Short mmCIF file of all heavy atoms in Angstrom, two decimals:
data_model
loop_
_atom_site.label_atom_id
_atom_site.label_comp_id
_atom_site.label_asym_id
_atom_site.label_seq_id
_atom_site.Cartn_x
_atom_site.Cartn_y
_atom_site.Cartn_z
N PHE A 15 -27.78 13.92 12.41
CA PHE A 15 -27.52 13.47 13.74
C PHE A 15 -27.49 14.67 14.69
O PHE A 15 -26.85 15.70 14.34
CB PHE A 15 -26.15 12.77 13.84
CG PHE A 15 -26.05 11.51 13.09
CD1 PHE A 15 -25.43 11.44 11.83
CD2 PHE A 15 -26.61 10.33 13.58
CE1 PHE A 15 -25.31 10.27 11.14
CE2 PHE A 15 -26.53 9.14 12.90
CZ PHE A 15 -25.87 9.10 11.68
N LEU A 22 -18.50 5.95 16.56
CA LEU A 22 -19.17 5.16 15.52
C LEU A 22 -19.15 5.87 14.17
O LEU A 22 -19.70 5.43 13.18
CB LEU A 22 -20.67 4.95 15.91
CG LEU A 22 -20.91 4.15 17.19
CD1 LEU A 22 -22.39 4.14 17.51
CD2 LEU A 22 -20.40 2.72 17.02
N GLU A 23 -18.41 6.94 14.15
CA GLU A 23 -18.26 7.79 12.91
C GLU A 23 -19.63 8.12 12.31
O GLU A 23 -19.86 7.92 11.13
CB GLU A 23 -17.37 7.08 11.86
CG GLU A 23 -15.93 7.21 12.27
CD GLU A 23 -14.97 6.99 11.09
OE1 GLU A 23 -15.30 7.47 9.98
OE2 GLU A 23 -13.96 6.35 11.30
N GLN A 24 -20.47 8.62 13.15
CA GLN A 24 -21.80 9.00 12.67
C GLN A 24 -21.72 10.37 11.98
O GLN A 24 -21.44 11.36 12.60
CB GLN A 24 -22.79 9.08 13.85
CG GLN A 24 -23.11 7.72 14.40
CD GLN A 24 -24.14 7.78 15.50
OE1 GLN A 24 -24.26 8.78 16.20
NE2 GLN A 24 -24.89 6.70 15.69
N TYR A 25 -21.88 10.35 10.70
CA TYR A 25 -22.06 11.62 9.96
C TYR A 25 -22.96 11.35 8.78
O TYR A 25 -22.98 10.24 8.22
CB TYR A 25 -20.73 12.23 9.52
CG TYR A 25 -20.04 11.56 8.37
CD1 TYR A 25 -20.27 11.96 7.06
CD2 TYR A 25 -19.18 10.47 8.60
CE1 TYR A 25 -19.64 11.31 6.00
CE2 TYR A 25 -18.55 9.82 7.56
CZ TYR A 25 -18.79 10.24 6.28
OH TYR A 25 -18.16 9.61 5.20
N ARG A 26 -23.74 12.29 8.50
CA ARG A 26 -24.73 12.20 7.40
C ARG A 26 -24.03 12.29 6.07
O ARG A 26 -23.25 13.24 5.80
CB ARG A 26 -25.77 13.34 7.56
CG ARG A 26 -26.98 13.20 6.66
CD ARG A 26 -27.88 14.40 6.81
NE ARG A 26 -27.33 15.58 6.16
CZ ARG A 26 -28.06 16.56 5.56
NH1 ARG A 26 -29.37 16.45 5.55
NH2 ARG A 26 -27.47 17.56 5.03
N THR A 27 -24.27 11.31 5.21
CA THR A 27 -23.73 11.39 3.84
C THR A 27 -24.24 12.65 3.18
O THR A 27 -25.46 12.90 3.18
CB THR A 27 -24.19 10.15 3.04
OG1 THR A 27 -23.88 8.98 3.79
CG2 THR A 27 -23.48 10.09 1.69
N GLY A 54 -25.25 0.23 8.16
CA GLY A 54 -24.86 1.38 8.94
C GLY A 54 -25.69 2.56 8.48
O GLY A 54 -25.14 3.61 8.09
N ALA A 55 -27.00 2.37 8.55
CA ALA A 55 -27.89 3.28 7.79
C ALA A 55 -27.97 4.67 8.37
O ALA A 55 -28.33 5.66 7.64
CB ALA A 55 -29.29 2.67 7.75
N GLY A 56 -27.64 4.87 9.65
CA GLY A 56 -27.59 6.20 10.22
C GLY A 56 -28.83 7.01 10.04
O GLY A 56 -29.95 6.59 10.43
N THR A 57 -28.75 8.13 9.39
CA THR A 57 -29.92 9.00 9.12
C THR A 57 -30.89 8.36 8.15
O THR A 57 -32.04 8.82 7.99
CB THR A 57 -29.50 10.33 8.52
OG1 THR A 57 -28.86 10.07 7.27
CG2 THR A 57 -28.50 11.08 9.44
N MET A 59 -30.02 8.27 4.90
CA MET A 59 -29.81 8.98 3.66
C MET A 59 -29.76 8.05 2.41
O MET A 59 -30.42 8.32 1.41
CB MET A 59 -28.49 9.72 3.75
CG MET A 59 -28.07 10.52 2.56
SD MET A 59 -29.18 11.90 2.16
CE MET A 59 -28.82 13.10 3.48
N GLU A 75 -28.84 -0.82 11.39
CA GLU A 75 -28.17 0.21 12.21
C GLU A 75 -28.23 -0.30 13.63
O GLU A 75 -29.20 -0.83 14.09
CB GLU A 75 -28.92 1.52 12.05
CG GLU A 75 -28.54 2.60 13.05
CD GLU A 75 -27.06 3.04 12.93
OE1 GLU A 75 -26.59 3.38 11.82
OE2 GLU A 75 -26.39 3.05 13.99
N LYS A 76 -27.07 -0.08 14.37
CA LYS A 76 -27.06 -0.64 15.72
C LYS A 76 -27.36 0.35 16.81
O LYS A 76 -27.76 -0.05 17.91
CB LYS A 76 -25.72 -1.32 15.99
CG LYS A 76 -24.54 -0.41 16.27
CD LYS A 76 -23.37 -1.21 16.80
CE LYS A 76 -22.19 -0.29 17.17
NZ LYS A 76 -21.01 -1.06 17.61
N GLU A 77 -27.25 1.63 16.55
CA GLU A 77 -27.29 2.59 17.64
C GLU A 77 -28.69 3.21 17.83
O GLU A 77 -29.33 3.58 16.84
CB GLU A 77 -26.20 3.64 17.38
CG GLU A 77 -25.84 4.51 18.57
CD GLU A 77 -26.64 5.80 18.64
OE1 GLU A 77 -26.91 6.37 17.56
OE2 GLU A 77 -27.00 6.18 19.77
N GLN A 100 -29.31 -3.93 14.63
CA GLN A 100 -28.36 -5.00 14.98
C GLN A 100 -26.94 -4.59 14.57
O GLN A 100 -26.78 -3.59 13.79
CB GLN A 100 -28.70 -6.31 14.28
CG GLN A 100 -28.58 -6.29 12.76
CD GLN A 100 -28.90 -7.60 12.07
OE1 GLN A 100 -28.84 -7.66 10.88
NE2 GLN A 100 -29.30 -8.62 12.79
N ASP A 101 -25.99 -5.21 15.14
CA ASP A 101 -24.60 -5.00 14.70
C ASP A 101 -24.43 -5.65 13.36
O ASP A 101 -24.99 -6.73 13.07
CB ASP A 101 -23.64 -5.63 15.73
CG ASP A 101 -22.24 -5.18 15.47
OD1 ASP A 101 -21.61 -5.57 14.45
OD2 ASP A 101 -21.71 -4.42 16.32
N ILE A 102 -23.63 -4.98 12.53
CA ILE A 102 -23.41 -5.46 11.17
C ILE A 102 -22.91 -6.92 11.16
O ILE A 102 -23.19 -7.69 10.22
CB ILE A 102 -22.41 -4.50 10.50
CG1 ILE A 102 -22.72 -4.46 9.04
CG2 ILE A 102 -20.99 -4.85 10.77
CD1 ILE A 102 -24.02 -3.86 8.79
N ASN A 115 -22.01 3.58 3.70
CA ASN A 115 -21.00 4.60 4.01
C ASN A 115 -20.44 4.24 5.37
O ASN A 115 -20.81 4.87 6.37
CB ASN A 115 -21.64 5.99 3.98
CG ASN A 115 -20.59 7.10 4.18
OD1 ASN A 115 -19.42 6.83 4.26
ND2 ASN A 115 -21.09 8.31 4.23
N PRO A 117 -18.21 3.19 8.80
CA PRO A 117 -17.17 3.81 9.62
C PRO A 117 -15.85 3.25 9.25
O PRO A 117 -15.70 2.03 9.00
CB PRO A 117 -17.55 3.48 11.04
CG PRO A 117 -18.42 2.28 10.98
CD PRO A 117 -19.06 2.28 9.63
N ILE A 124 -13.26 -2.15 11.38
CA ILE A 124 -14.70 -2.21 11.26
C ILE A 124 -15.18 -1.97 9.84
O ILE A 124 -16.08 -2.65 9.37
CB ILE A 124 -15.41 -1.26 12.29
CG1 ILE A 124 -16.92 -1.36 12.18
CG2 ILE A 124 -14.95 0.17 12.07
CD1 ILE A 124 -17.47 -2.68 12.63
N PHE A 128 -17.65 -4.36 7.34
CA PHE A 128 -18.79 -3.98 6.51
C PHE A 128 -18.62 -4.52 5.12
O PHE A 128 -19.55 -5.07 4.51
CB PHE A 128 -18.95 -2.45 6.46
CG PHE A 128 -19.74 -1.84 7.60
CD1 PHE A 128 -19.25 -1.80 8.88
CD2 PHE A 128 -20.99 -1.29 7.36
CE1 PHE A 128 -19.97 -1.23 9.92
CE2 PHE A 128 -21.74 -0.68 8.37
CZ PHE A 128 -21.26 -0.67 9.66
N1 LIG B 1 -25.31 6.37 5.43
C1 LIG B 1 -25.39 6.97 6.73
C2 LIG B 1 -24.00 7.01 7.32
C3 LIG B 1 -23.95 6.92 8.75
S1 LIG B 1 -22.34 6.90 9.45
C4 LIG B 1 -25.96 8.37 6.61
O1 LIG B 1 -25.77 8.97 5.57
O2 LIG B 1 -26.56 8.89 7.56
C5 LIG B 1 -22.14 5.19 9.88
C6 LIG B 1 -23.28 4.53 10.68
O3 LIG B 1 -22.91 3.21 10.98
C7 LIG B 1 -23.59 5.22 12.00
O4 LIG B 1 -24.95 5.54 12.07
C8 LIG B 1 -23.22 4.18 13.06
O5 LIG B 1 -24.05 4.20 14.19
C9 LIG B 1 -23.33 2.90 12.29
N2 LIG B 1 -22.51 1.78 12.76
C10 LIG B 1 -21.24 1.89 13.18
N3 LIG B 1 -20.80 0.69 13.52
C11 LIG B 1 -21.80 -0.21 13.32
C12 LIG B 1 -21.96 -1.62 13.48
N4 LIG B 1 -20.94 -2.37 13.93
N5 LIG B 1 -23.09 -2.19 13.14
C13 LIG B 1 -24.15 -1.45 12.69
N6 LIG B 1 -24.06 -0.09 12.52
C14 LIG B 1 -22.93 0.52 12.84
#
Side-chain angles (χ1 to χ4, degrees):
F15 295 102
L22 297 175
E23 284 200 41
Q24 290 183 331
Y25 74 92
R26 190 183 73 146
T27 308
T57 62
M59 180 65 72
E75 169 61 52
K76 75 168 183 184
E77 197 267 322
Q100 67 180 180
D101 192 291
I102 211 64
N115 185 2
I124 183 66
F128 273 70

